[in-house]
Amino acid sequence: MKIALTIAGSDSGGGAGIQADLKTFHQFGVFGTSVITAVTAQNTVAVRAWQPLPKTLVTQQLDALADDLPPQAVKSGMLGSADLVEAVAEGVARWRLPNYVLDPVMVATSGDRLLHRDAEQLIARRLVPLATLVTPNLDEAGILVGEPVRTLDAMERAGRALIELGAKAALVKGGHLPGDEVVDLLVVDGAVRRFARPRLDTTSTHGTGCTLSAAIAAGLAHGRPLERAVADGLDFVARALAAAPGLGKGHGPLNHFVPAPPRPPADGL
């Protein structure tokens, strides 16, 4: 059985963060382990409070897992503070953790900040160079590369800029662009692949980014090529959005019970 590690915050509402990641790992048939970076008091309406864990405890969690349950892939989400960005960067590098998917979480779906401002550029300097894949939304991409990202051309430029910063690949998510179609751009090996799908009319979008990065990490843990892991992750999220249970009064969770795409043949995409 393959192991995937999530490094993220705990979402008391169960729709994002550690909870969404572990549900997604389960659906993809990988054993999920976790390093909790922060505890949040949140629901579908708002993040009422949150507190990062001490850097030492985060490091101890990561070391314990890497020493005994080394993952085939790892993702990080909410890190919260500059100290924790440093802790994760040090741990990923020290243990040479493979297939690192960086979801640079900065703001929750509800609009509440989940990262101290002094940590934003630290993510670009310390974590992006370690990443197999970076998965920013438009706002996160703009912060990381230092310019607004509001068009498809700007998304491509941002993806290439993230690779120049050291990432092996970048998936710039276009869900916040207007229009009847959602377009995400994967920049890898000098090429750009476009993923497009009809926009769903739903408010159940809580945890979308967490679920996507976890799904991609799970695919990489299985040994799938990056483009296949991204395609499978996007497919899983689209179906989980379409089947959302409509829970809560705000931005509800996805339906993590939808089946994951089947495992590909060993010799194919």
Side-chain angles (χ1 to χ4, degrees):
M1 180 174 287
K2 304 300 184 181
I3 299 174
L5 166 64
T6 169
I7 306 171
S10 171
D11 173 11
S12 55
I18 290 287
Q19 288 80 354
D21 295 342
L22 293 178
K23 292 171 187 177
T24 302
F25 289 164
H26 179 83
Q27 290 302 93
F28 274 77
V30 299
F31 183 81
T33 59
S34 59
V35 170
I36 297 177
T37 58
V39 176
T40 71
Q42 66 175 299
N43 52 30
T44 66
V45 178
V47 179
R48 298 187 179 184
W50 66 270
Q51 184 170 335
L53 270 64
K55 178 180 179 180
T56 300
L57 184 55
V58 170
T59 297
Q60 289 171 333
Q61 291 179 77
L62 198 155
D63 288 349
L65 294 173
D67 186 47
D68 183 51
L69 295 163
Q72 280 72 51
V74 57
K75 66 144 289 186
S76 67
M78 177 186 180
L79 300 180
S81 70
D83 276 352
L84 297 191
V85 172
E86 288 285 2
V88 172
E90 291 164 4
V92 170
R94 181 171 64 257
W95 291 100
R96 298 181 181 179
L97 297 181
N99 295 317
Y100 172 38
V101 180
L102 166 60
D103 181 13
V105 173
M106 298 179 184
V107 180
T109 304
S110 60
D112 299 284
R113 287 196 63 83
L114 296 175
L115 180 72
H116 296 160
R117 291 188 185 277
D118 64 348
E120 291 175 348
Q121 290 308 309
L122 197 60
I123 288 179
R125 293 197 306 271
R126 298 285 281 123
L127 292 180
V128 169
L130 298 171
T132 301
L133 178 70
V134 189
T135 64
N137 62 28
L138 299 183
D139 291 335
E140 292 159 352
I143 290 170
L144 292 175
V145 305
E147 65 177 60
V149 180
R150 292 289 178 266
T151 66
L152 287 174
D153 287 343
M155 288 169 63
E156 180 177 341
R157 289 196 301 272
R160 295 188 185 279
L162 289 167
I163 291 173
E164 289 177 4
L165 288 172
K168 290 184 176 64
L171 178 67
V172 184
K173 300 175 294 190
H176 293 164
L177 285 182
D180 296 331
E181 191 176 55
V182 175
V183 179
D184 304 306
L185 295 184
L186 175 65
V187 183
V188 59
D189 294 331
V192 179
R193 179 172 175 184
R194 172 183 170 131
F195 296 89
R197 63 188 184 279
R199 185 181 299 276
L200 293 172
D201 184 16
T202 179
T203 58
S204 296
T205 55
H206 183 58
T208 307
C210 304
T211 301
L212 175 60
S213 56
I216 295 170
L220 294 175
H222 279 304
R224 300 179 189 180
L226 178 62
E227 288 194 33
R228 173 64 192 259
V230 169
D232 286 349
L234 289 168
D235 174 67
F236 179 76
V237 169
R239 288 183 290 106
L241 275 168
L247 303 178
K249 301 173 184 176
H251 293 282
L254 314 184
N255 183 352
H256 292 95
F257 292 111
V258 297
R263 300 182 195 181
D267 58 350
L269 289 178

